[in-house]
Amino acid sequence: MSETLVVKCPICKALVEHGSKTFPFCSNRCKTRDLGNWASGIYAIPDTPTDSWHHDHKV
Ligand SMILES: [Zn+2]
């Protein structure tokens, strides 16, 4: 029984074999696109007051 672990690319849902250079993405394009999603998500977050949280976290 030889099985290859295959996952779906989180971006385009194409099948990606485990061990692929760009795993878990099907290609560098999707990998880059995921990073872009992250970045835009971060920038989309409104400026929320987190000062108190930071104070609690003081080292
Ligand atoms: Zn993809």
Side-chain angles (χ1 to χ4, degrees), residues 9 11-14 25-27 30:
C9 170
I11 302 299
C12 71
K13 313 297 182 199
F25 304 97
C26 70
S27 64
C30 282

Side-chain angles (χ1 to χ4, degrees), residues 21-37:
K21 246 191 205 176
T22 53
F23 182 86
F25 304 97
C26 70
S27 64
N28 269 320
R29 195 198 287 181
C30 282
K31 193 174 178 178
T32 306
R33 207 167 136 191
D34 185 69
L35 289 175
N37 285 347

